[in-house]
Amino acid sequence: MKKNYVFYAVLVILFLKDCSACFQKDQENSNIVTTGSTFYEECCCEEPGYTVKNLQWRDPHDRVIVGPGTDSKVFTEEQTNCLSLHIPVSTKNLAGQYRCVTKFENKQYKEVYNLDVYDPVYFYETRNNQNLVLNNNSQITCKAKGASTPLMRWYKGKDGQTEIFNDTAKYEITHEGLLIKNVNSEDEGTYKCSASVLSTGEEVEIYIEAKVMTPPLITQMVASPEAKLASGETLMIQCLAEGWPEPKREFKKVGDSNPAGNKTVNWIQSNDTIRFKNIKPEDAGTYECTAFNDAGISKKQLNIVVLTRPEIIGFSNKSAVEGAMLPIICNATGLPPPKVTITYEGRSLDEERYTDYEEEIINFSTLHVNRSSEGIYICNATNIVDTTTELMYLAVLHQPYFDNTYELVWAWNGETVNISCEQESNPPANFSWNYIKDDYATVKSQALVNIIPDYETELEHSFTFSNEFAPFGKHECWAKNEYGEANKVYYIRKGFTPSIVENASSIDETATSASFHIEPPTNYDGPNVIGFIAEYDQADNYDITNIHPNRTWATGIPFKLDKLRPNTTYYIKFAAINRVGTGEWSGLMSFNTMDKSAPEPPIWQVDALELSSSKVLKWKAPENNGEPIDFYVLRYCPMDEELDESLCKEHKLKETTELEVPDLQYNTTYYLELIAHNARGNSAPANMSLTVPGEILSAPSSLLSAGAVIGISIVVVLVCLVLLDVLLYLWKKQGIIASCCCKKSKKRKPNPLNARDKKGLLKDNGKSGTDDTLKRPDNGHKEYEYNKTTGIITGKHSSV
Ligand SMILES: *[C@@H]1O[C@H](CO)[C@@H](O)[C@H](O)[C@H]1NC(C)=O
Ligand SMILES: *[C@@H]1O[C@H](CO)[C@@H](O)[C@H](O)[C@H]1NC(C)=O
Ligand SMILES: *[C@@H]1O[C@H](CO)[C@@H](O)[C@H](O)[C@H]1NC(C)=O
Ligand SMILES: *[C@@H]1O[C@H](CO)[C@@H](O)[C@H](O)[C@H]1NC(C)=O
Ligand SMILES: *[C@@H]1O[C@H](CO)[C@@H](O)[C@H](O)[C@H]1NC(C)=O
Ligand SMILES: *[C@@H]1O[C@H](CO)[C@@H](O)[C@H](O)[C@H]1NC(C)=O
Ligand SMILES: *[C@@H]1O[C@H](CO)[C@@H](O)[C@H](O)[C@H]1NC(C)=O
Ligand SMILES: *[C@@H]1O[C@H](CO)[C@@H](O)[C@H](O)[C@H]1NC(C)=O
Ligand SMILES: *[C@@H]1O[C@H](CO)[C@@H](O)[C@H](O)[C@H]1NC(C)=O
Ligand SMILES: *[C@@H]1O[C@H](CO)[C@@H](O)[C@H](O)[C@H]1NC(C)=O
Ligand SMILES: *[C@@H]1O[C@H](CO)[C@@H](O)[C@H](O)[C@H]1NC(C)=O
Ligand SMILES: *[C@@H]1O[C@H](CO)[C@@H](O)[C@H](O)[C@H]1NC(C)=O
């Protein structure tokens, strides 16, 4: 190259020295071309005698440009008269001063071309669709470059007809674009941005579609079904947001460092919603939704409360020594914190014993353990989600306890005595029996062990006393465990029959009856008196016979004799009975029955309610005082403020103690009067007034149907009975028909049961259906009959 250079230089000098010139004037031009375009310029020889050889093109570095060559971006080309300069593709680094040079008479002339290469005006970073931010200053970006800073002009509208001026109030045109102040919805639309370069005369334009963008605004975070929910439920949290472009949502739990990262979340997000299929307690907390678009971001939080069912911790079986102070605490978790109650349920769940210790757990925390604390405790933890209960058994360790440490037991020949060393103890106690004989014993203390196998170690013994075997005396059992010991004494003593009845007197006599007060004897060794026997008779009979009627009473019922003869002297003696037998007779005492007289007043037995449905007036026959009651006179009068005698009705009734009164009006008060009559006259009237209540409305229909059924049944049974009776009569001359026909003539005896209770002793016991003094099942008393031979008193109805 250096050789070439030298060669060219020599050539140039040679040419210059040749003094040749093609033009004789200097000339200067400016040429501006855009990058990439072709630059072409001719330099021609005008002077005669000169050829192209006298022309030279020089580049900005003053180098001679030669013809087209290998990699030359600039080259010359010879034409007939001109030497043309070619730049096929202009680039910026080719810019500069190009000169066409010629020489004349040692003078050099040149045509100068200042080549300037510029890029064409163009837009950059300018999009066709742009967004504006509502209520904010927002720019439509339009940037252009060109040969010089392009002049930007803006137009609005589809056709770009309205020019926008730089008025600073609404629009500000900058190099960057158009700043629209306080964007409102009207600013949306098509804009035309035009960039022009004055130097090159270029102008380009671009249409930009501007949309008004609104920043996101989260209007609501909705939890469905609710922000407060129970563990295990399904939860959806929706993040409702406004804004354009449609904001995207991101959720995170506040406090989670890396929500989108590797921490696995318990939810699935789709669009604006996250969904928990099965919410867990640890999912409780604050959730934040972030809504974002190009216009901005918005955040909102929502607190989720996960409620959990109560769970009871550490309420487990315990055992404690009696006397200890035992904490009984029921700890429960759950949200909301559960209400906890501890209740004592007794020894077993079947036991109906409830003690409420609600809210008194603190007191429980220092439970002073004793035997009665043993049993089941239930802790109930309840909150709005659920209720949980836990059962705890408190076992109390304690020394043996006997229910009763001393028992006196009576025994006699034939009696069986059971003794037991049963005690309450935890853990079970060891025990042992010990015997100390007393005066009546036939068994020596040491000998019992031989007679009864395992006497000392058996829990229970049963001794049947006889002449040969009578272990009277002290049977003592000692029970012992690690917490202490206790003993129980059975004192088996020989039991005797009661001593003589010393205190008995007649307290009430009527014409046919007498009542007594008998004081049980106490001055004896033996079981308690359970009854009395009396032997009595008319005084006259004691001259005739030794056999007299007797009568037994159990204690607790009135000691009363009836069916006695009026106006008669009787003798009577008593003996007390206990389980051993009957004691000795007392001495005879006497009493007199009263003379015959008019009956006692009858005793009403009406119940207003019952009456209103049955309309039957009932009463109880009074003591007849020696003569049978032959009739009753019943009078009833409706009462309206005052008694109107004319409305009264009167019935005379024989041999009955009830009357059906169908004309009884509901809701009416009646005055009732009843008189009993016997051969001695009228009794005092028994009177009363009562109000028949209104008919019970609901009753009739059901009563009717039930009554109908019963009625039909009765009719059927009766028909059957009558048929049977007819058959019996025809065949064997027996049965009711037979007795009615054949025994009609026999006079019917007055009901002896109606002839008692002279002084109305039973008036207060009006409930009992019959007038038998002794039959008082309501009071729970039993009537006993004493069997003399066996000494056993059996519950049997006895009337002499
Ligand atoms: C428009 O006005 C602002 C302020 O008045 C000015 O800074 C800016 O250069 C102006 N733009 C044009 C293109 O004139
Ligand atoms: C979670 O990702 C972080 C880094 O991104 C990593 O250090 C960490 O060990 C990851 N934890 C788990 C449990 O993968
Ligand atoms: C939610 O996604 C569905 C498709 O998965 C789409 O059609 C819908 O437009 C989206 N809604 C929102 C609010 O993004
Ligand atoms: C609205 O303009 C204010 C100040 O002019 C700016 O702080 C805020 O970020 C803008 N908002 C948006 C969404 O560009
Ligand atoms: C009950 O819970 C409290 C507090 O959590 C704790 O201090 C106590 O030890 C618990 N009691 C029992 C018996 O577990
Ligand atoms: C519980 O204890 C407190 C004091 O410790 C006492 O005032 C309260 O009466 C007790 N409640 C019961 C039911 O014993
Ligand atoms: C056990 O304690 C309860 C209550 O403190 C008391 O009523 C009861 O008498 C006690 N029982 C015994 C056997 O001490
Ligand atoms: C627990 O207590 C709640 C109310 O306090 C009651 O409704 C529930 O029946 C109780 N549960 C049991 C098993 O006693
Ligand atoms: C607690 O005690 C009860 C009664 O003794 C028994 O049935 C139950 O199995 C015990 N429970 C536990 C967990 O030991
Ligand atoms: C009681 O009388 C009956 C007969 O009525 C007689 O068999 C019985 O022996 C008498 N009882 C006494 C203790 O006299
Ligand atoms: C009662 O008996 C006595 C003697 O037995 C007799 O004198 C008297 O007349 C009797 N009274 C009547 C009313 O019968
Ligand atoms: C019974 O009488 C009372 C008032 O005396 C009246 O209110 C009621 O309706 C009457 N009932 C019938 C069933 O007549």
Side-chain angles (χ1 to χ4, degrees):
M1 278 303 280
K2 214 153 192 178
K3 273 187 183 167
N4 271 350
Y5 190 76
V6 173
F7 169 74
Y8 286 131
V10 169
L11 257 183
V12 167
I13 291 162
L14 277 178
F15 273 115
L16 286 174
K17 284 205 170 143
D18 280 352
C19 303
S20 51
C22 278
F23 47 86
Q24 291 168 3
K25 236 190 343 195
D26 280 345
Q27 212 182 328
E28 189 155 353
N29 299 305
S30 271
N31 294 75
I32 299 173
V33 297
T34 58
T35 13
S37 61
T38 304
F39 183 69
Y40 172 82
E41 202 60 55
E42 283 180 346
C43 183
C44 291
C45 236
E46 284 148 12
E47 295 300 319
Y50 291 90
T51 65
V52 177
K53 303 276 183 242
N54 298 105
L55 289 174
Q56 258 184 348
W57 277 101
R58 295 194 182 180
D59 70 6
H61 305 288
D62 209 25
R63 290 175 305 206
V64 176
I65 301 165
V66 296
T70 43
D71 53 352
S72 175
K73 288 174 183 136
V74 182
F75 59 90
T76 52
E77 200 174 45
E78 270 182 39
Q79 276 143 11
T80 32
N81 237 352
C82 302
L83 186 66
S84 56
L85 175 71
H86 282 275
I87 302 179
V89 178
S90 315
T91 60
K92 279 197 171 166
N93 48 8
L94 294 177
Q97 202 173 56
Y98 288 84
R99 286 165 299 159
C100 180
V101 183
T102 188
K103 274 192 177 166
F104 176 69
E105 288 178 353
N106 254 350
K107 208 165 174 222
Q108 183 176 315
Y109 298 97
K110 54 182 185 276
E111 282 178 21
V112 176
Y113 296 91
N114 288 313
L115 178 63
D116 207 353
V117 182
Y118 280 106
D119 292 331
V121 64
Y122 68 99
F123 293 109
Y124 67 99
E125 294 175 15
T126 303
R127 284 175 294 114
N128 289 100
N129 287 296
Q130 293 192 35
N131 293 323
L132 302 172
V133 181
L134 185 69
N135 296 331
N136 221 336
N137 300 345
S138 196
Q139 175 176 273
I140 303 176
T141 304
C142 181
K143 293 184 189 173
K145 270 188 188 162
S148 61
T149 307
L151 176 70
M152 310 300 288
R153 272 200 298 266
W154 286 86
Y155 303 88
K156 193 170 177 206
K158 267 224 149 52
D159 312 320
Q161 68 276 58
T162 320
E163 182 163 5
I164 293 168
F165 296 102
N166 192 19
D167 63 358
T168 63
K170 180 73 183 169
Y171 297 108
E172 192 175 322
I173 296 166
T174 67
H175 293 301
E176 305 270 277
L178 175 69
L179 184 69
I180 303 172
K181 293 179 180 164
N182 200 14
V183 171
N184 60 40
S185 56
E186 281 166 24
D187 293 321
E188 202 163 275
T190 308
Y191 288 82
K192 186 171 87 176
C193 170
S194 134
S196 52
V197 180
L198 292 178
S199 54
T200 58
E202 284 173 295
E203 176 163 14
V204 287
E205 28 181 67
I206 185 168
Y207 282 92
I208 297 172
E209 205 60 46
K211 275 202 153 178
V212 174
M213 204 162 58
T214 47
L217 176 69
I218 299 179
T219 52
Q220 220 183 344
M221 260 181 103
V222 193
S224 57
E226 258 185 289
K228 220 181 214 184
L229 76 171
S231 159
E233 286 183 25
T234 297
L235 171 71
M236 296 208 302
I237 304 176
Q238 197 179 8
C239 178
L240 298 173
E242 289 166 356
W244 198 92
E246 177 72 44
K248 289 205 172 73
R249 318 293 153 79
E250 225 167 56
F251 289 87
K252 73 168 201 176
K253 191 176 160 191
V254 175
D256 278 2
S257 48
N258 190 8
N262 50 10
K263 185 184 188 303
T264 50
V265 291
N266 191 17
W267 73 75
I268 299 162
Q269 181 176 354
S270 65
N271 287 354
D272 59 347
T273 304
I274 55 172
R275 187 162 179 272
F276 295 81
K277 221 174 181 172
N278 177 357
I279 199 145
K280 299 196 178 110
E282 58 264 29
D283 291 326
T286 304
Y287 286 82
E288 187 177 79
C289 170
T290 306
F292 58 95
N293 64 12
D294 290 340
I297 71 171
S298 165
K299 290 183 183 200
K300 205 174 173 80
Q301 296 188 339
L302 176 70
N303 197 37
I304 296 294
V305 178
V306 179
L307 305 176
T308 53
R309 63 192 301 271
E311 219 161 282
I312 294 169
I313 321 158
F315 196 68
S316 53
N317 284 0
K318 286 184 177 62
S319 77
V321 179
E322 185 177 18
M325 306 295 282
L326 179 74
I328 294 187
I329 302 165
C330 180
N331 267 354
T333 59
L335 199 77
K339 181 173 172 270
V340 176
T341 58
I342 300 177
T343 49
Y344 175 60
E345 302 286 329
R347 288 294 163 104
S348 74
L349 283 176
D350 313 329
E351 207 171 310
E352 280 293 312
R353 182 166 157 198
Y354 293 101
T355 319
D356 260 326
Y357 290 99
E358 275 181 39
E359 297 170 297
E360 272 134 32
I361 297 155
I362 293 156
N363 296 30
F364 248 120
S365 64
T366 53
L367 178 71
H368 190 139
V369 176
N370 71 18
R371 272 194 302 148
S372 52
S373 328
E374 172 153 336
I376 294 164
Y377 292 78
I378 289 182
C379 173
N380 177 345
T382 302
N383 68 10
I384 56 172
V385 182
D386 205 351
T387 169
T388 308
T389 56
E390 193 78 50
L391 197 139
M392 187 267 278
Y393 192 87
L394 173 66
V396 178
L397 300 170
H398 60 83
Q399 66 160 88
Y401 284 100
F402 288 97
D403 287 344
N404 219 336
T405 54
Y406 178 84
E407 260 180 63
L408 173 63
V409 186
W410 298 105
W412 54 92
N413 272 1
E415 173 72 349
T416 299
V417 171
N418 294 320
I419 60 173
S420 168
C421 192
E422 189 85 51
Q423 19 71 28
E424 215 185 296
S425 90
N426 190 7
N430 293 323
F431 59 88
S432 145
W433 285 101
N434 175 40
Y435 170 57
I436 300 164
K437 75 185 203 78
D438 78 356
D439 293 349
Y440 290 102
T442 62
V443 183
K444 289 207 169 99
S445 293
Q446 289 77 10
L448 196 65
V449 182
N450 302 328
I451 298 165
I452 314 273
D454 305 323
Y455 169 74
E456 284 176 354
T457 53
E458 276 296 309
L459 185 67
E460 287 170 352
H461 292 294
S462 183
F463 305 129
T464 301
F465 280 70
S466 65
N467 283 329
E468 293 74 38
F469 179 74
F472 292 113
K474 209 162 110 182
H475 294 261
E476 188 177 17
C477 179
W478 277 96
K480 185 174 180 182
N481 69 6
E482 57 198 285
Y483 299 103
E485 62 179 345
N487 73 332
K488 162 131 195 182
V489 171
Y490 285 94
Y491 202 152
I492 307 182
R493 293 182 62 194
K494 188 169 170 64
F496 296 91
T497 55
S499 53
I500 201 158
V501 173
E502 275 166 354
N503 239 332
S505 56
S506 108
I507 49 172
D508 192 20
E509 294 103 16
T510 71
T512 57
S513 73
S515 305
F516 300 90
H517 168 79
I518 310 172
E519 237 170 59
T522 51
N523 190 18
Y524 67 98
D525 285 340
N528 288 339
V529 169
I530 54 169
F532 295 96
I533 183 164
E535 193 183 82
Y536 63 99
D537 208 343
Q538 299 170 31
D540 298 350
N541 286 348
Y542 281 83
D543 300 335
I544 305 162
T545 176
N546 281 333
I547 300 163
H548 306 292
N550 63 47
R551 167 76 205 255
T552 313
W553 299 283
T555 50
I557 61 168
F559 308 130
K560 185 173 179 186
L561 292 173
D562 44 24
K563 293 186 191 166
L564 303 176
R565 280 181 56 164
N567 195 19
T568 307
T569 300
Y570 275 86
Y571 291 144
I572 188 164
K573 63 179 179 181
F574 300 99
I577 304 167
N578 69 2
R579 292 189 56 237
V580 184
T582 305
E584 276 181 63
W585 288 111
S586 64
L588 281 179
M589 58 175 279
S590 69
F591 66 92
N592 297 314
T593 53
M594 310 286 278
D595 210 346
K596 291 177 182 175
S597 65
E600 299 297 312
I603 297 140
W604 279 112
Q605 286 185 319
V606 286
D607 173 74
L609 265 176
E610 196 189 311
L611 181 62
S612 101
S613 64
S614 69
K615 299 205 170 179
V616 173
L617 290 168
K618 287 184 188 166
W619 60 92
K620 200 171 89 167
E623 193 89 33
N624 67 15
N625 286 341
E627 291 285 352
I629 292 171
D630 43 11
F631 60 83
Y632 295 96
V633 178
L634 170 64
R635 219 160 73 97
Y636 60 96
C637 317
M639 258 166 68
D640 186 19
E641 309 276 318
E642 271 175 41
L643 189 70
D644 184 357
E645 288 289 342
S646 64
L647 295 173
C648 291
K649 291 190 178 154
E650 199 169 289
H651 295 269
K652 186 172 172 186
L653 302 151
K654 287 187 179 174
E655 297 176 11
T656 180
T657 55
E658 60 178 52
L659 174 68
E660 194 179 349
V661 271
D663 59 341
L664 223 53
Q665 297 297 310
Y666 292 123
N667 219 6
T668 308
T669 303
Y670 283 91
Y671 172 75
L672 305 171
E673 190 179 87
L674 182 64
I675 293 166
H677 180 270
N678 68 4
R680 296 287 163 147
N682 283 333
S683 72
N687 45 33
M688 70 181 293
S689 61
L690 100 173
T691 303
V692 182
E695 206 167 1
I696 302 133
L697 291 174
S698 64
S701 64
S702 68
L703 271 178
L704 269 178
S705 58
V709 171
I710 292 166
I712 289 164
S713 318
I714 289 171
V715 166
V716 168
V717 168
L718 281 179
V719 166
C720 289
L721 283 176
V722 166
L723 279 174
L724 198 73
D725 212 57
V726 166
L727 278 175
L728 210 64
Y729 174 63
L730 293 178
W731 182 38
K732 284 208 160 176
K733 295 254 184 273
Q734 278 181 357
I736 294 166
I737 298 174
S739 41
C740 286
C741 298
C742 306
K743 297 167 188 173
K744 214 193 293 173
S745 58
K746 286 191 181 175
K747 202 184 167 191
R748 194 177 290 180
K749 273 188 173 177
N751 184 355
L753 298 183
N754 286 350
R756 296 205 192 151
D757 200 4
K758 183 178 176 181
K759 295 262 162 96
L761 290 175
L762 297 174
K763 270 177 192 165
D764 52 343
N765 190 22
K767 264 202 239 165
S768 74
T770 79
D771 49 1
D772 191 336
T773 314
L774 305 174
K775 197 175 172 193
R776 299 176 68 186
D778 288 359
N779 289 355
H781 295 303
K782 266 195 180 156
E783 186 175 350
Y784 288 93
E785 186 172 61
Y786 177 57
N787 185 327
K788 207 178 178 185
T789 49
T790 59
I792 289 167
I793 291 181
T794 47
K796 196 191 164 188
H797 188 95
S798 95
S799 47
V800 183

